[in-house]
Amino acid sequence: MRTMATRARHPERRQEPLSRERIVGAAVELLDAVGESGLTFRALAERLATGPGAIYWHIAGKTELLVAATDAVVAPTLDAADAADATPQEAIRTLAGDLFDAIDDHPWVGAQLNRAPAPPPLLRVLERIGGRVQALHVPEAAQFTAACTLLNYILGVAGQNAANARTAQPGADRGEFLDAVASTWAQLDPAQYPFTRTVAGQLRTHDDREEFLAGIDLILTGIAARR
Amino acid sequence: MRTMATRARHPERRQEPLSRERIVGAAVELLDAVGESGLTFRALAERLATGPGAIYWHIAGKTELLVAATDAVVAPTLDAADAADATPQEAIRTLAGDLFDAIDDHPWVGAQLNRAPAPPPLLRVLERIGGRVQALHVPEAAQFTAACTLLNYILGVAGQNAANARTAQPGADRGEFLDAVASTWAQLDPAQYPFTRTVAGQLRTHDDREEFLAGIDLILTGIAARR
DNA sequence: ACCTGAACACCGTTCAAGT
DNA sequence: ACCTGAACACCGTTCAAGT
């Protein structure tokens, strides 16, 4: 009787039981807070107030954990990206933009999408893009190429985004980081890197997101021109 | 006198001194033979008949080693890709195809290009592509977008290629692996994944390399349509 | 100057032991 | 059924000691 009352009085101090959901949620928080290198079974166990071995009862290993964490970010993003009345082009643009925002908020997602061959979150993206490509009335034989081109382009940007986040010191904002990259490029040997030097200035003035969407538009233009 | 003669008689048994070149060369061999997870300072040291600490005299750490190994594959590939008389489109296609072959031979390169933000090998690729884009008479403001779109697409394919190589068991060839992926896709829930299911069959019949170049062509079409 | 290899501070993962 | 945490088999990296 006493112990029950005591428990009831401090419900917030009771540790909820471990679950796949709680573990994945804590992993996402940890990845957001300290980056890919910070996700450790020991750190995760400490955050969950348990031992590292406990996690293995719910999740097979680190690979599965990372896929689940990636899916936890990507799946809701895709569901939110369903604009009802829009042209297929607009829908693809919106989908890509939403994905960009999600990857911008969780840069480690960009690396994870590239780590496994077609993991569940990637299949989700392919499916969404494919559906929109069909709506564009692309001939069936060309649908696969069109969807994969868009997907691979998104993957490339996602990967670079993750690489940037890995390198940038946590303090500096993206503006400072891009400035640093741009000045490195500007100092390249003009004989060997004429184009990259010329283009270095645009790194500073261009908006990442706009630049990304401009690439999407370029591919969409290619798809339309083929039709 | 005796020792000198002995040395001269067995020159092939003398261990060449360590050098950055030898280390990087051994790293490439190790990566090709046993994959990314097999490149270890201990394994590398054993191959070089020395201790792990010796490597650090010549190379700052594992990151620098991986960048150097990647550059050792990419730089010669790019130099070989200089077709003198070709249209800019043909030149970009050739460049992309040669890169694909290099990444196909050394799948770990695909992952490394995505790991660091614009590492030297990536800048080389950007520069080459940029030069060809200029030759296409793309307006200056659009050159950056055009080159980055091509580059990011290549990066996406490269990353997926690396992911496939990481997963496929060393014994199986690519045909078997793609069959396995295709049959996984074919078993997806038709309600959730109609497009991916439809397209699963094309995974088997399509040639990776042709599919990759078809994406390059699609982007080139987009660039041409904008001009 | 260059190499050696033991030692340090970590990892992911396992597993006997507990509840 | 689920959790604990010590232990195992690794890592990258450092550094005193050698040549």
Side-chain angles (χ1 to χ4, degrees):
Chain A
M1 207 53 179
R2 259 264 307 260
T3 53
M4 281 186 65
T6 305
R7 280 189 183 182
R9 211 177 288 138
H10 303 293
E12 75 284 4
R13 310 205 58 178
R14 287 289 313 146
Q15 193 62 53
E16 273 192 46
L18 266 187
S19 68
R20 215 185 131 88
E21 263 182 4
R22 270 192 73 216
I23 293 171
V24 171
V28 170
E29 284 174 26
L30 209 47
L31 285 161
D32 288 343
V34 289
E36 305 167 60
S37 65
L39 181 64
T40 285
F41 273 82
R42 284 170 180 82
L44 188 58
E46 195 182 12
R47 204 183 186 91
L48 293 165
T50 181
I55 298 166
Y56 283 86
W57 185 262
H58 301 274
I59 294 228
K62 190 160 189 181
T63 301
E64 188 181 311
L65 177 60
L66 284 168
V67 169
T70 304
D71 218 23
V73 169
V74 170
T77 302
L78 293 177
D79 289 338
D82 258 330
D85 38 77
T87 68
Q89 280 96 340
E90 286 171 348
I92 290 175
R93 254 187 81 101
T94 302
L95 171 66
D98 287 354
L99 261 179
F100 185 90
D101 293 335
I103 289 168
D104 201 39
D105 285 342
H106 314 276
W108 50 272
V109 168
Q112 289 314 312
L113 288 174
N114 278 297
R115 195 157 324 276
L122 201 54
L123 289 184
R124 288 183 207 276
V125 179
L126 176 62
E127 181 63 34
R128 292 300 180 108
I129 292 175
R132 302 309 189 178
V133 165
Q134 285 180 318
L136 278 172
H137 301 302
V138 172
E140 201 169 327
Q143 286 173 11
F144 185 57
T145 299
C148 285
T149 303
L150 285 164
L151 183 65
N152 279 312
Y153 168 71
I154 293 170
L155 279 180
V157 175
Q160 278 298 297
N161 222 312
N164 290 343
R166 212 167 355 216
T167 302
Q169 50 257 54
D173 65 3
R174 187 158 66 190
E176 290 177 42
F177 177 74
L178 286 181
D179 277 2
V181 173
S183 75
T184 305
W185 287 19
Q187 283 160 26
L188 290 170
D189 176 11
Q192 267 194 293
Y193 293 94
F195 177 78
T196 306
R197 269 175 56 95
T198 304
V199 122
Q202 306 195 34
L203 263 187
R204 238 180 293 235
T205 56
H206 278 204
D207 175 24
D208 276 18
R209 193 178 193 276
E210 289 305 318
E211 193 56 41
F212 166 69
L213 288 176
I216 295 283
D217 287 339
L218 192 57
I219 298 172
L220 287 174
T221 301
I223 294 172
R226 286 282 179 82
R227 215 169 28 185
Chain B
M1 207 52 177
R2 260 259 309 256
T3 55
M4 281 184 68
T6 306
R7 280 190 182 178
R9 213 177 288 141
H10 303 293
E12 75 283 2
R13 309 204 56 179
R14 286 290 313 147
Q15 194 61 52
E16 273 192 46
L18 267 187
S19 67
R20 214 185 131 87
E21 261 181 8
R22 271 192 72 218
I23 294 171
V24 172
V28 170
E29 285 175 26
L30 209 48
L31 285 161
D32 287 343
V34 288
E36 305 166 61
S37 65
L39 180 65
T40 283
F41 274 81
R42 283 170 180 82
L44 188 59
E46 195 182 11
R47 203 183 186 91
L48 294 165
T50 181
I55 297 166
Y56 283 87
W57 186 261
H58 301 274
I59 294 227
K62 190 159 189 182
T63 302
E64 188 181 312
L65 178 60
L66 284 168
V67 170
T70 305
D71 218 24
V73 170
V74 170
T77 303
L78 293 178
D79 289 338
D82 259 330
D85 39 76
T87 67
Q89 279 98 341
E90 286 171 349
I92 290 174
R93 254 187 82 100
T94 303
L95 172 66
D98 287 354
L99 261 179
F100 184 91
D101 292 336
I103 287 168
D104 202 38
D105 285 342
H106 315 276
W108 49 271
V109 167
Q112 289 313 314
L113 288 174
N114 278 297
R115 195 157 324 275
L122 201 54
L123 290 182
R124 289 183 205 277
V125 179
L126 176 62
E127 181 63 35
R128 292 299 180 108
I129 292 175
R132 302 308 190 177
V133 165
Q134 284 179 318
L136 278 172
H137 302 302
V138 172
E140 201 167 328
Q143 286 174 10
F144 185 57
T145 299
C148 285
T149 303
L150 285 164
L151 183 65
N152 278 313
Y153 169 70
I154 292 170
L155 280 180
V157 175
Q160 277 299 295
N161 222 312
N164 290 344
R166 209 172 302 142
T167 302
Q169 50 257 54
D173 64 2
R174 188 160 62 190
E176 292 177 41
F177 177 76
L178 286 180
D179 278 1
V181 173
S183 75
T184 305
W185 287 19
Q187 284 161 25
L188 290 170
D189 176 11
Q192 266 193 295
Y193 293 94
F195 176 79
T196 305
R197 270 175 56 95
T198 304
V199 122
Q202 306 195 35
L203 262 187
R204 240 180 293 234
T205 57
H206 278 204
D207 175 24
D208 277 19
R209 193 178 192 274
E210 289 305 317
E211 193 55 42
F212 166 68
L213 288 175
I216 295 283
D217 287 339
L218 192 58
I219 298 173
L220 287 173
T221 301
I223 294 172
R226 286 282 179 81
R227 213 169 29 186

